[in-house]
Amino acid sequence: MNYQETAKQIIEHVGGKENICHIEHCSTRLRFTLKDDDKANKEALEAIEGVIGVRHNVQCQVIIGNEVVEVYEEVIKIVGDSLTASKDTPKKNRKIGVVLLDFVISVFQPLIPAIAGGGILKSLLMLASLTELLSDQSQTYQILNLIGGAPLYFLPILVAMTTANKLKVNQLVAVSIAGAMILPDLSAMLAEGATFLSFNIENIAYASQVFPAILTILFYALTERFFTKYSFKSIRIFFVPMMSMLITVPIGLLILGPFGYNVGTIFSSAIISLYSTVGWVATALLAAILPLMVVTGMHKAMIPYAVSSMSELGAELLYLPASLAHNIAESGACFAVSLKTKDKKLRSTAISAGISAFFGITEPALYGVTIIHKRVLMAVMGSSLVGGALAGIFTIKAFALVGPGIASITMFADPDNGMNLVWAFVVLGVSFVTAFVAALFLYKDTESIEKSAVEPSNKQVEFLASPVKGKVISLSEVQDEVFSSGMVGKGVAIIPEEGILYAPENGEITTVFETKHALGMKLSNGAEVLFHIGLDTVQMKGAGFNALVSAGEQVLQGTPLIRFDIKAIQAAGFDPIVVCVVTNGDHFDVQALNETQQVTNDSDVLSINTI
């Protein structure tokens, strides 16, 4: 992959660097917060070399996989310092739930590398102690243990940095405010009973706490903006931080800190109470739905709980054990697909994705294999359910916040329960084997299905019927350069007279876009056809469209695929024209038929012959 070229194209198709408010990356994705979401071109982004998929929920998430760091570095080189200087906010008014989730992701996502690194170090030390390789009484052990515990101890400072970065206020002042609340001398005063202006200060150890720091920095952001607005410019450099600290720290100690501490305690207690009530069922169900949560990005909502649980209890017993079952199930299913498929590209993708999932990174498996093959998804969800149930029954606890996999399996090493790690290995083995066997039996290669079920006569597809009723026009007449130039592929366009898209030939549905305005289909001769309803109709976000099929389904000619409201499209100001193009045209001779003619679903509009 040419990282520089990939980064350049990504920036171009998210609307240019001037459209980017904020960018960060996780283990597999570039995460963009954009000023104008409508400027992001999802189809163009997905077509870029190295991009596995695109999800646009709270943020514009461009899924890269294992090479995300290299692409991120090239993106930053191109964007430069424009992000840090920008205080623009997205133009569109977003719902409070979306804004809140965006804030949570921005604050907690950057914390994971530090917490994970320290957690894995501590888990390795636990394992060394259990196997008597290193005594937990030695100073070497104790020093290394302190190093591993540093990220959690200084969690208020780390949270202050990420929160300040999100709110675009002075990070160093924010760190100073959070640092004041965990000063050893102040902690000693609180333990002995302290007052401020005759008000009693509650004795709370703020080290390792999350919510007190977040609330305090939110309040600091208000004070900084207030004093920046009303102070003289000549004294602003010292007056603003001085007044902000002078007001924020006492308010934090008296009000916000105790409130945030109680919120965190209630949060963790509620999860533990739920777990105690339904037991292993909660872990099993969570593991089963994790594929869907990860695909939509909703698994990020679990991060505050996991961080809070680690800081409050020193362990986590729901999300991470469930993730172990899911991650390894993804791996087992991918390796089964790699053995069974005859598609060389899919085999290569499945092997690579299977290895990544075995090490705890599931996005390549999910977007490259699982969600585009319904039977594989069934195998993964069923196997995750089994593995999650075992994890819940054995009450496995995790001691590091990192994606569970074979390399991080020591995160389950428990100094008080040696069997915790053993049961983790059992969950790993059962999840892998169950998923491997299930996928081996359930998955059917596209070629074999098409020959036996879809095309029993093995007839070579040479002509493609019209997917809609209407008038055929040349692709060059389409008022969209992406299609008219042939950039996407050769084909035709039809001015629709009826709002139903039909399967023009037997084949497999490969993709149904989230906004339901476009659909991909693979024919029995291997041709991959894209049907795009309307121009710029992605902006309708699914309104007026009803998908009748899903990815992975085998369909026969004449099967209704999508219902769409032509009048609604026109009322929204968009052209309802239906574009039909062959996207892998390098392997086929594609010729348009019946141009300028009225056609029905029985009329041929393309000839597609293998070269």
Side-chain angles (χ1 to χ4, degrees):
M1 183 196 308
N2 185 328
Y3 302 129
Q4 186 177 24
E5 182 60 27
T6 298
K8 181 181 177 182
Q9 292 185 46
I10 289 173
I11 292 171
E12 176 185 350
H13 294 306
V14 296
K17 64 181 182 180
E18 63 279 357
N19 192 42
I20 303 172
C21 287
H22 178 74
I23 179 174
E24 60 195 10
H25 75 86
C26 57
S27 55
T28 58
R29 311 180 189 198
L30 296 175
R31 296 174 172 273
F32 294 91
T33 301
L34 303 177
K35 299 174 187 175
D36 186 351
D37 291 336
D38 292 338
K39 288 185 178 181
N41 188 329
K42 184 174 182 288
E43 291 85 353
L45 285 168
E46 289 178 329
I48 299 171
E49 180 187 3
V51 174
I52 298 174
V54 177
R55 286 292 176 272
H56 205 148
N57 189 1
V58 176
Q59 299 171 317
C60 179
Q61 303 172 21
V62 182
I63 303 143
I64 304 296
N66 295 333
E67 296 172 299
V68 65
V69 174
E70 288 79 6
V71 177
Y72 173 79
E73 290 174 349
E74 292 300 328
V75 169
I76 292 300
K77 288 179 184 178
I78 297 172
V79 173
D81 296 329
S82 60
L83 298 186
T84 56
S86 174
K87 292 185 179 288
D88 293 335
T89 55
K91 291 180 180 179
K92 298 174 70 173
N93 292 323
R94 299 188 293 174
K95 296 180 180 179
I96 184 64
V98 174
V99 173
L100 181 61
L101 187 55
D102 179 44
F103 178 78
V104 167
I105 293 173
S106 298
V107 169
F108 285 93
Q109 182 70 43
L111 301 175
I112 292 179
I115 298 174
I120 290 297
L121 176 57
K122 287 176 70 72
S123 65
L124 289 172
L125 287 171
M126 291 178 189
L127 185 62
S129 176
L130 286 171
T131 56
E132 299 183 353
L133 291 175
L134 184 63
S135 171
D136 58 4
Q137 300 302 312
S138 69
Q139 290 189 344
T140 299
Y141 179 97
Q142 292 172 15
I143 290 173
L144 292 176
N145 192 51
L146 288 171
I147 294 172
L152 274 181
Y153 181 86
F154 291 108
L155 202 51
I157 291 179
L158 301 181
V159 168
M161 292 180 66
T162 57
T163 306
N165 182 54
K166 176 61 178 175
L167 299 175
K168 294 183 173 63
V169 294
N170 193 303
Q171 280 188 316
L172 295 180
V173 176
V175 166
S176 300
I177 290 170
M181 299 178 71
I182 62 173
L183 284 171
D185 288 345
L186 181 59
S187 299
M189 288 180 61
L190 296 180
E192 295 172 0
T195 62
F196 182 80
L197 297 178
S198 300
F199 292 99
N200 291 326
I201 302 178
E202 192 172 341
N203 180 23
I204 295 174
Y206 288 109
S208 302
Q209 295 295 320
V210 175
F211 295 105
I214 292 176
L215 294 176
T216 303
I217 302 308
L218 282 169
F219 182 76
Y220 156 63
L222 296 176
T223 61
E224 183 195 83
R225 286 166 183 157
F226 176 82
F227 288 114
T228 299
K229 182 177 181 180
Y230 292 105
S231 65
F232 295 108
K233 293 182 180 179
S234 57
I235 62 172
R236 187 179 291 170
I237 190 170
F238 69 85
F239 183 77
V240 172
M242 179 190 73
M243 293 302 297
S244 298
M245 294 176 66
L246 180 63
I247 294 175
T248 302
V249 175
I251 293 295
L253 291 171
L254 291 168
I255 302 173
L256 300 176
F259 180 74
Y261 173 79
N262 290 326
V263 168
T265 302
I266 293 170
F267 193 24
S268 297
S269 299
I271 296 293
I272 293 172
S273 176
L274 174 66
Y275 186 82
S276 301
T277 303
V278 297
W280 57 269
V281 176
T283 314
L285 293 177
L286 178 59
I289 64 173
L290 268 176
L292 306 179
M293 292 180 68
V294 175
V295 165
T296 58
M298 294 307 297
H299 66 301
K300 297 300 180 184
M302 296 294 294
I303 294 177
Y305 149 70
V307 173
S308 178
S309 181
M310 284 290 177
S311 62
E312 293 279 345
L313 308 173
E316 198 280 316
L317 63 162
L318 178 60
Y319 174 55
L320 294 172
S323 295
L324 174 66
H326 166 240
N327 294 355
I328 302 304
E330 291 281 358
S331 177
C334 282
F335 283 119
V337 171
S338 72
L339 285 179
K340 199 167 182 183
T341 185
K342 296 179 181 178
D343 186 328
K344 292 181 179 179
K345 183 178 180 180
L346 177 59
R347 180 182 295 118
S348 175
T349 299
I351 292 174
S352 174
I355 294 172
S356 293
F358 200 61
F359 281 84
I361 306 297
T362 58
E363 275 89 345
L366 275 164
Y367 293 103
V369 180
T370 305
I371 64 171
I372 59 177
H373 297 97
K374 183 171 62 176
R375 292 170 179 263
V376 180
L377 178 61
M378 291 168 57
V380 169
M381 293 183 70
S383 305
S384 298
L385 182 74
V386 173
L390 284 176
I393 291 170
F394 296 139
T395 60
I396 294 175
K397 295 180 181 179
F399 295 88
L401 184 57
V402 64
I406 189 62
S408 57
I409 195 68
T410 56
M411 67 190 288
F412 297 100
D414 184 354
D416 300 321
N417 178 15
M419 289 301 295
N420 194 71
L421 181 59
V422 174
W423 292 131
F425 272 109
V426 171
V427 171
L428 184 149
V430 169
S431 300
F432 184 91
V433 172
T434 305
F436 182 86
V437 173
L440 206 59
F441 278 96
L442 289 174
Y443 175 74
K444 294 183 179 180
D445 200 46
T446 302
E447 182 179 345
S448 62
I449 290 178
E450 288 171 346
K451 287 183 178 180
S452 62
V454 179
E455 283 288 338
S457 64
N458 292 319
K459 184 185 73 173
Q460 185 76 6
V461 178
E462 295 183 353
F463 297 98
L464 193 73
S466 177
V468 293
K469 298 176 182 178
K471 180 181 179 181
V472 179
I473 66 170
S474 170
L475 201 61
S476 61
E477 296 180 47
V478 176
Q479 300 300 307
D480 187 322
E481 189 178 354
V482 173
F483 292 117
S484 62
S485 65
M487 189 184 305
V488 179
K490 294 181 179 179
V492 294
I494 304 106
I495 301 172
E497 297 176 354
E498 181 184 56
I500 305 178
L501 181 77
Y502 294 94
E505 185 53 69
N506 301 340
E508 179 192 15
I509 303 302
T510 56
T511 308
V512 178
F513 287 73
E514 285 184 0
T515 47
K516 303 168 188 174
H517 72 294
L519 177 147
M521 181 175 176
K522 188 172 184 179
L523 308 182
S524 57
N525 69 343
E528 297 175 359
V529 185
L530 172 68
F531 304 100
H532 195 286
I533 304 171
L535 303 181
D536 296 323
T537 44
V538 64
Q539 298 181 43
M540 297 179 68
K541 301 188 183 303
F545 296 89
N546 180 25
L548 307 176
V549 293
S550 56
E553 285 190 33
Q554 300 292 332
V555 296
L556 299 175
Q557 182 178 357
T559 301
L561 305 178
I562 297 177
R563 292 186 182 276
F564 56 98
D565 190 331
I566 297 175
K567 291 183 179 179
I569 295 172
Q570 292 172 331
F574 302 115
D575 187 341
I577 195 164
V578 176
V579 177
C580 171
V581 293
V582 178
T583 56
N584 59 343
D586 292 342
H587 306 291
F588 299 91
D589 177 24
V590 181
Q591 298 294 330
L593 306 173
N594 292 320
E595 288 186 354
T596 73
Q597 301 296 316
Q598 292 292 129
V599 293
T600 67
N601 301 118
D602 295 323
S603 308
D604 294 329
V605 293
L606 284 179
S607 67
I608 308 174
N609 297 304
T610 306
I611 296 177

